[in-house]
Amino acid sequence: MKSAIRTRRPLALAVAALVGLPLAISGCGTTASASSTDAVKEISVMDYYNNEPDKSFIGDALTACGTKAGVTIKRETVPGKSLISKVLQQSSSKTLPDVLMLDNPDLQQIAATGALAPLSDFNINTADFAPGVLSAGTYKDKVYGLAPTVNTIALFYNKDILAKAGVTPPTTWDELKAAATKLTSGEQYGLAFNANPTYEGTWQFLPVMWSNGGDEKNIDTPETAQALQLWTDLVKDGSVSSSALNWTQADVKDQFMAGKAAMMVNGPWQIPALDKKTTLQYGVVKIPVRDASQTAVAPLGGEVWTVPQTGNKAHQAKAAEVVACMNSDENQLAMAKVRNTIPSKSSLAAKFATDNPKLATFTDLIKTARARTGELGEGWPAQATKIYTAIQTALTGKASPADALKQAQGQ
């Protein structure tokens, strides 16, 4: 879930890797003839990478893929918050772009309208993608979108602060609570997370909910109540600031960088900013689980590239070549390194983690990461709203965690 502007890294090597990319596609659409496909000179692309460094880097990648496909890329970037409304409007007026990027939780909603073409129509290879990645791009058993790279969230900790306090990175809830209490002193909180009333607040809560056996189909369960009790206890005892009710993930990062939080829940997109502060020594571990026997399960973030149903088969065939190129091995590795994300293909992950140790924890988490829409499809937004509503109710003391979840589930 990219909610922070990422810091630019040198692009020369990465872009060079993109120029000679082989197309990871075994054929174009069978409904378009070679002559009609060859006649396509330009295809349109729409995405929400309108901030640097992603705007330039993704633009360079698209240009390189367009060159390989023999077309010019006409690109439009729009603010993330307005993308879906624009896509729905364009779908209604039949003016969709040839290539469309979507945040993975939004794919289900758009695919349900019939606006997207299954990637199997173009013989795009979907083998070797992590299960969660394919789940995020799938609607009714058909893959409509592929993400070149993905992300998730984990627990960052300040090495110097923990060492001074004699605290080791926690692995269980009890250890987390004990560590957060010990690390809270004066203006310094033990832990920072985002519990605001948006999908971002839900996103940050999912690891404790899912790892404890909670399920989004029904949040009125003991397992989810236990998870929300943890969040509530941490705020109630002062280990987490009550400002968490309004913080964004960027705010959480700022607290951590300022030394006002010894630990934080956040994602790899914050790494460039953290690395700018050379005096900050930090580590990353999985978000603790209630019991050591449990497996850490984190939510899958990242954007998928799709081929809309424009009605122009020749353009769709070329668009599919670009989507395949954006998901090639070389492109995945180049994007992951520059953007502090994780390659989506399982075969690339191990070496990537070795070469990029700061991303090793995130790479490991992707193996078991879950798509937010995996169970509910287009019904996810409504349930995500119930989750963050319950979080707000419990953390403000208006109801117990169990009652807050019961009330929200019944809405």
Side-chain angles (χ1 to χ4, degrees), residues 46-48 76 78-97 99-103 106-107 109-111 113 115-116 306 308:
M46 187 164 70
D47 61 73
Y48 66 30
E76 179 183 8
V78 300
K81 63 182 180 181
S82 61
L83 177 64
I84 295 306
S85 59
K86 183 162 188 172
V87 169
L88 292 172
Q89 181 182 34
Q90 290 180 332
S91 178
S92 177
S93 60
K94 301 187 184 304
T95 56
L96 284 165
V99 175
L100 173 65
M101 182 231 72
L102 294 168
D103 194 10
D106 296 324
L107 178 134
Q109 177 187 1
I110 303 305
T113 68
L116 305 178
T306 71

Side-chain angles (χ1 to χ4, degrees), residues 41 67 96 108 118 124 152 163 299 348 362 368:
K41 300 300 181 184
T67 298
L96 284 165
Q108 301 273 344
I124 292 180
T152 188
L348 304 177
F362 298 102
T368 56

Side-chain angles (χ1 to χ4, degrees), residues 311-340:
N312 188 319
K313 297 302 182 182
H315 275 244
Q316 284 185 285
K318 282 297 182 182
E321 291 187 39
V322 171
V323 169
C325 175
M326 292 292 283
N327 282 278
S328 69
D329 290 5
E330 293 87 349
N331 219 348
Q332 287 200 12
L333 289 169
M335 287 186 184
K337 184 175 181 180
V338 172
R339 302 181 64 237
N340 284 284

